[in-house]
């Protein structure tokens, strides 16, 4: 069974309640696939589910801008679990109207005069209109900064026409938030014109950028053209670029020619790149390198292809001939993904013959044990415990517990958590399961003491702990909004030019630039002004930025911020589509918050688009299957996107017998994976959740 990357899939936290809390592990049972269609989880009045991201990052909300490839949401140091969809219901039912600070200047006031005119002129390539708009902007508060920003936006699409103005803008305002984009475009302009001296000067000056392979290679070419050679660490850096396992931009060819002319591309370098190409699945590149490089590389390539494609026999053959340890290790790692037991057996043999060192052996032992654990194989616990301490990372420690938990072996659960490093054992998930193991082993007093502490915090394991104790969840009876900030604090925020401009761009529906300017300005906002900024973002209908500020404030569980953290934007659209599809709107909001943090214009690394983050192919499929008749499919349109997402969630709920935890797992990771995660025998729901 293949598993998704840990950073891209999420488990569904299940808690089942009746008129009073019931222990989820006793009543929520996940059944094996053979009884899947006939058996339902015994939902009572309400099922509570939360999506949790098991990543090393503390941010469950980091997304990537689909054009720039940069984080558009600051990492959020949330706990490893999110709140329940029920909390959205609490917020919707009790949220009070926001109260303005009387007479205070506000960041969400009308945008400055001329700003919208200037943006329209930029969009329509209207120089006269742009100049007129700039004159009007100059008369407003922060007019100089707004004018600079607009001038940069104008130049971004006119580098070819106004290169001198671009160069001047970069020299004068290198710290402005849009300058990295302008610098990249100006470098491309200079490269096209072989302006080597200017290219090198601009490349080395602020602002600092991540140049990528193409611009870095052009810089090295500029060095060669001007100095006649590469010096210092440059040749080795260029060689490392050449040795990558994928084809590099054509702009790198002159640099690679220099490397070849100066004898850097020897047989060893070709071997390194062939191996990297085969590892990356770039067999065509490997074939090209064999034809271009020194004689005899075909045998080397074929050996690596065999290690990748037939690892069991190829590794055994390399051991028989006492081959290279690096080749044997990589072959064993490939084999561990297919046949962990066979990989362990061959690893032991290679170790006895001293063909691989301790670190190489440990890496194979680690991967084989983890793959067995991912497949819930009964021997996984012993294998994970055999992994040398030097190779035990967070994944090994936690899956050692999960492998015992999946088989309801409470002695081993306790043993594995007791052996964890303190920083991992102190995580709330493992504190909860350690207490559960104590309870199952007869030490009820100790277990209940831990649960009482956990139940004070309204997160997933806090809710489970409350279930175990039979007490109410630690949620407020009513939500309330925070008190409005003082006029003085609001004025201080308004006085920050980039922040003020960010809110103006948000109001004018320029979300990407608005977020970029907001993030730029946020770094300089003092702690004392953060509550006012969160209040202001919430008031402006900007829930994703409000969440970013709350994360920095660490105000996750403060009752006055619940309606801000769990906002309900696009409420009429969500409720209409939820009613149309006969699904709870709170579940739609839960997915929307987790998938996109309510942003409509962001994209995931695999091509999903905003809000509920459906892949385009999935969106087209559900549009046909559900008979929505939406055309054209504009995924950045909230109405279209929410309609598609709600229909797909409804289809997953239908497919999984209206068991929403399974439906949401299927929504996020695909129905095939959700079925793969079903246990071979009935399993308590909370155990299933924490072992997928």
């Amino acid at each position: 069974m293949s598993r998704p990357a840990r950073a891209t899939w999420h488990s569904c936290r299940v808690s089942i309640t009746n008129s009073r809390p019931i222990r989820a592990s006793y009543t929520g049972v996940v059944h094996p696939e053979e009884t899947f269609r006939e058996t339902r989880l015994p939902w009572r009045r309400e099922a509570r589910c939360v999506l949790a991201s098991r990543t090393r990052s503390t941010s469950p909300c980091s997304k990537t801008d689909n054009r720039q490839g940069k984080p558009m949401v600051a990492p959020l140091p949330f706990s490893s679990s999110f709140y329940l969809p029920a909390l959205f219901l609490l917020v919707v039912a009790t949220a009070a109207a926001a109260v303005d600070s009387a007479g205070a200047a506000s960041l969400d006031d009308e945008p400055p005069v001329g700003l919208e005119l200037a943006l329209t002129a930029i969009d329509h390539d209207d120089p006269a209109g742009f100049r007129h708009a700039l004159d009007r902007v100059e008369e407003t508060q922060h007019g100089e900064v707004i004018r600079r920003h607009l001038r940069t936006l104008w130049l971004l699409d006119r580098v070819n026409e106004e290169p001198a103005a671009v160069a001047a803008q970069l020299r004068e305002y290198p710290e402005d938030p849009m300058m990295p984009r302008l610098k990249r475009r100006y470098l491309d302009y200079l490269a096209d014109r072989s302006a080597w001296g200017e290219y090198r000067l601009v490349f080395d000056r602020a602002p600092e950028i991540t140049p990528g392979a193409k611009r870095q290679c052009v810089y090295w070419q500029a060095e060669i053209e001007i100095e006649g050679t590469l010096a210092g660490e440059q040749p080795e850096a260029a060689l490392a670029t050449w040795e990558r396992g994928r084809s590099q931009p054509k702009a790198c060819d002159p640099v690679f020619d220099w490397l070849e002319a100066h004898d850097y591309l020897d047989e060893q370098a070709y071997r390194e790149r062939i191996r990297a190409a085969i590892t990356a699945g770039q067999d065509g590149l490997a074939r090209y390198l064999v034809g271009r490089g020194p004689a005899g590389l075909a045998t080397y390539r074929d050996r690596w292809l065999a290690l990748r494609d037939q690892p069991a026999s190829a590794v055994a053959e390399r051991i028989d001939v006492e081959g290279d340890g690096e080749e044997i290790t990589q072959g064993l790692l490939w084999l561990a993904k297919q046949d962990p037991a066979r990989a362990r057996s061959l690893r032991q043999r290679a170790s006895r013959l001293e063909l691989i060192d301790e670190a190489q052996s440990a890496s194979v032992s680690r991967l084989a044990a983890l793959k067995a654990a991912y497949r819930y194989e009964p021997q996984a616990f012993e294998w994970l415990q055999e992994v040398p301490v030097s190779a035990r990372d967070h994944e090994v420690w936690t899956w050692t517990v999960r492998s015992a938990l999946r088989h309801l072996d409470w002695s081993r659960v306790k043993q594995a958590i007791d052996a964890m490093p303190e920083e991992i054992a102190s995580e709330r998930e493992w504190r909860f399961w350690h207490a559960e193991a104590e309870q199952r082993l007869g030490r009820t007093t100790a277990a209940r003491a831990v649960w009482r502490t956990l139940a004070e915090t309204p997160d997933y394991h806090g809710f489970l702990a409350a279930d175990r104790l039979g007490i109410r969840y630690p949620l407020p009876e009513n939500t309330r909004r925070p008190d409005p900030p003082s006029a003085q604090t609001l004025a201080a925020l308004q006085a920050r030019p980039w922040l003020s401009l960010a809110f103006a761009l948000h109001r004018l529906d320029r979300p990407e630039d608005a977020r970029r300017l907001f993030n730029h300005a946020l770094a300089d906002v003092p702690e004392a002004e953060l509550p006012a900024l969160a209040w202001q973002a919430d008031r402006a209908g900007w829930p994703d930025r409000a969440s970013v500020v709350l994360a920095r404030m660490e105000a996750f569980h403060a009752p006055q911020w619940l309606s801000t953290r769990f906002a309900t934007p696009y409420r009429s659209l969500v409720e209409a589509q939820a009613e149309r599809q006969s699904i709870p709107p709170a579940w739609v909001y839960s997915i929307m918050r987790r998938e996109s943090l309510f942003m409509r214009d962001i994209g995931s690394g695999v091509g999903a688009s905003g809000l509920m983050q459906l892949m385009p192919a999935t969106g087209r499929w559900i549009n046909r299957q559900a008979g929505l008749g939406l055309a054209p499919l504009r995924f950045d349109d909230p109405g279209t996107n929410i309609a598609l997402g709600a229909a797909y969630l409804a289809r997953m709920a239908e497919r999984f017998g209206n068991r929403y935890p399974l439906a949401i797992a299927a929504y996020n990771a695909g129905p095939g994976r959700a079925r793969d995660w079903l246990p071979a025998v009935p399993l308590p729901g909370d155990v299933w959740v924490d072992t997928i």
Side-chain angles (χ1 to χ4, degrees):
M1 177 184 67
S2 62
R3 299 189 66 83
R6 300 291 285 172
T8 60
W9 63 275
H10 316 91
S11 62
C12 192
R13 314 297 203 184
V14 185
S15 174
I16 301 163
T17 63
N18 200 335
S19 56
R20 62 182 179 81
I22 298 175
R23 290 184 61 173
S25 62
Y26 292 160
T27 61
V29 180
V30 179
H31 290 266
E33 186 168 3
E34 56 267 23
T35 60
F36 175 76
R37 293 189 179 276
E38 293 74 30
T39 310
R40 290 193 175 197
L41 284 172
W43 303 122
R44 299 302 176 104
R45 296 178 58 187
E46 184 176 0
R48 294 186 172 94
C49 173
V50 62
L51 298 177
S53 175
R54 289 206 183 103
T55 69
R56 293 185 184 178
S57 167
T58 55
S59 167
C61 298
S62 288
K63 293 292 178 182
T64 302
D65 178 77
N66 55 349
R67 284 177 283 179
Q68 299 298 324
K70 285 192 168 185
M72 296 301 291
V73 180
L76 308 183
F78 292 167
S79 64
S80 64
S81 60
F82 275 21
Y83 285 75
L84 309 174
L87 195 50
F88 281 99
L89 298 178
L90 176 68
V91 170
V92 170
T94 62
V99 180
D100 292 343
S101 290
S106 175
L107 284 169
D108 65 339
D109 286 343
E110 287 296 321
V113 175
L115 177 59
E116 186 172 14
L117 291 175
L119 293 171
T120 301
I122 292 171
D123 293 341
H124 292 86
D125 195 18
D126 178 6
F130 182 68
R131 287 192 296 271
H132 173 69
L134 285 187
D135 291 339
R136 299 189 65 183
V137 163
E138 198 165 12
E139 302 168 0
T140 66
Q141 185 184 21
H142 308 312
E144 180 185 351
V145 167
I146 297 173
R147 183 185 176 94
R148 267 170 30 204
H149 176 73
L150 290 170
R151 182 66 176 154
T152 300
L153 291 182
W154 175 268
L155 291 172
L156 276 170
D157 293 325
R158 294 162 183 84
V159 174
N160 290 358
E161 293 82 5
E162 303 182 45
V166 171
Q169 193 84 345
L170 285 167
R171 284 195 306 271
E172 293 176 29
Y173 310 112
E175 301 305 318
D176 283 7
M178 302 298 287
M179 285 303 150
R181 291 177 64 188
L182 187 62
K183 177 175 176 175
R184 285 190 289 268
R185 295 193 184 185
Y186 187 49
L187 286 173
D188 293 343
Y189 165 85
L190 295 173
D192 290 342
R193 285 151 184 79
S194 302
W196 308 121
E198 179 72 2
Y199 188 98
R200 190 168 67 166
L201 286 173
V202 173
F203 190 98
D204 287 335
R205 282 200 303 248
E208 186 176 346
I209 63 170
T210 301
K214 178 182 177 181
R215 296 186 187 95
Q216 183 64 66
C217 282
V218 174
Y219 179 79
W220 288 327
Q221 184 180 1
E223 288 286 301
I224 294 169
E225 297 291 341
I226 295 170
E227 307 294 343
T229 187
L230 296 178
E233 298 178 355
Q234 291 175 341
E236 291 301 323
L239 178 61
T241 299
W242 183 85
E243 288 177 346
R244 292 172 183 169
R246 297 183 182 275
S247 296
Q248 297 302 302
K250 286 186 67 64
C252 292
D253 288 350
V255 180
F256 295 163
D257 290 342
W258 184 91
L259 290 173
E260 189 164 37
H262 290 77
D263 299 327
Y264 282 92
L265 303 187
D266 56 14
E267 182 175 351
Q268 182 58 34
Y270 271 91
R271 285 174 175 254
E272 291 287 342
R273 195 175 189 192
I274 288 171
R275 182 183 64 183
I278 291 172
T279 301
Q282 300 295 306
D283 296 1
L285 175 59
R287 184 167 53 251
Y288 164 80
L289 293 168
V290 167
R292 181 179 176 86
L297 290 174
T299 301
Y300 181 80
R301 176 204 58 192
D302 293 344
R303 190 160 67 240
W304 274 92
L305 285 172
L307 287 167
R308 185 193 68 188
D309 298 337
Q310 296 95 33
S313 58
V315 170
E317 186 273 333
R318 297 312 298 160
I319 293 175
D320 288 341
V321 300
E322 298 188 0
D324 177 70
E326 196 166 350
E327 294 180 8
I328 292 172
T329 300
Q330 183 58 61
L332 287 170
L333 291 172
W334 276 320
L335 180 59
K337 297 177 182 180
Q338 303 174 10
D339 187 346
R342 179 65 172 155
R344 280 173 52 86
S345 175
L346 289 174
R347 175 196 62 82
Q348 292 169 352
R349 183 179 166 202
S351 295
R352 284 196 304 269
L353 295 173
E354 298 183 351
L355 299 177
I356 59 176
D357 60 29
E358 290 183 1
Q360 291 169 327
S361 176
S363 68
V364 176
S365 177
R366 173 190 176 276
L367 185 58
L370 284 173
K371 288 298 180 180
Y374 297 160
R375 299 173 183 181
Y376 310 120
E377 295 179 4
Q379 68 272 27
F381 183 86
E382 289 85 357
W383 289 5
L384 286 163
Q385 287 206 311
E386 292 172 7
V387 175
V389 174
S390 61
R392 293 189 192 182
D393 54 9
H394 191 277
E395 190 83 347
V396 171
W397 289 112
T398 55
W399 273 96
T400 304
V401 180
R402 291 188 184 106
S403 63
L405 185 58
R406 186 76 174 199
H407 294 91
L408 305 180
D409 189 331
W410 300 108
S411 294
R412 283 183 165 182
V413 168
K414 183 179 183 304
Q415 173 191 345
I417 297 175
D418 285 340
M420 279 178 163
E422 175 59 28
E423 65 270 17
I424 302 177
S426 63
E427 294 172 5
R428 292 176 61 81
E429 180 174 3
W430 310 120
R431 289 172 62 198
F432 172 83
W433 287 115
H434 190 271
E436 179 74 9
E438 294 272 31
Q439 164 82 3
R440 299 297 186 112
L441 296 172
R443 291 182 278 274
T444 302
T445 302
R448 293 179 69 84
V450 174
W451 284 335
R452 276 193 293 272
T453 301
L454 293 174
E456 294 173 358
T457 302
D459 64 6
Y460 169 61
H461 289 96
F463 294 140
L464 285 186
D467 283 345
R468 296 300 196 267
L469 296 169
I471 62 176
R472 69 181 299 275
Y473 291 159
L475 294 173
E477 293 290 344
N478 296 291
T479 60
R480 62 180 179 85
R481 290 187 179 274
D483 295 331
S486 68
Q488 181 181 3
T489 304
L490 289 177
L493 291 175
Q494 179 74 13
R496 298 181 178 278
W498 292 114
L499 196 59
S500 178
L501 181 53
F503 274 85
L505 291 172
H506 167 69
R507 191 176 180 91
L508 293 174
D509 197 26
R510 304 278 176 154
E512 182 183 345
D513 287 349
R515 287 195 301 270
R516 182 175 282 108
L517 267 59
F518 185 99
N519 294 343
H520 174 82
L522 179 60
D524 296 326
V525 177
E527 298 293 324
E529 294 177 13
L530 290 177
L533 182 55
W535 180 89
Q536 190 76 78
D538 182 38
R539 183 174 182 265
W542 207 356
D544 56 287
R545 296 306 92 187
S547 291
V548 169
V549 180
L550 290 181
R552 184 172 156 189
M553 291 166 56
E554 299 185 0
F556 314 134
H557 308 308
Q560 69 270 28
W561 292 112
L562 289 182
S563 60
T564 300
R565 186 177 175 199
F566 294 92
T568 54
Y570 308 107
R571 187 168 171 182
S572 61
L573 293 175
V574 169
E575 290 180 346
Q577 292 302 325
E579 181 178 5
R580 178 180 182 181
Q581 300 296 338
S582 300
I583 57 177
W587 291 85
V588 177
Y589 271 123
S590 295
I591 293 176
M592 190 187 303
R593 185 184 189 281
R594 176 60 188 90
E595 293 289 346
S596 66
L597 200 59
F598 309 116
M599 291 179 279
R600 62 175 174 81
D601 65 313
I602 63 166
S604 74
V606 294
S609 301
L611 295 181
M612 292 176 70
Q613 289 286 92
L614 284 182
M615 294 290 290
T618 304
R620 291 190 292 270
W621 177 83
I622 195 61
N623 189 39
R624 294 191 303 270
Q625 293 295 314
L628 299 178
L630 297 171
L633 284 184
R634 291 184 50 216
F635 288 92
D636 62 345
D637 172 63
T640 298
N641 193 301
I642 292 169
L644 294 170
Y648 187 66
L649 176 58
R651 182 58 58 95
M652 293 300 100
E654 178 184 1
R655 181 175 296 186
F656 285 86
N658 287 322
R659 289 171 289 181
Y660 279 95
L662 298 181
I664 288 188
Y667 185 103
N668 181 265
R673 282 202 179 108
R675 287 183 183 277
D676 287 343
W677 293 338
L678 290 172
V681 296
L683 194 68
D686 51 6
V687 171
W688 177 77
V689 162
D690 274 339
T691 57
I692 64 171

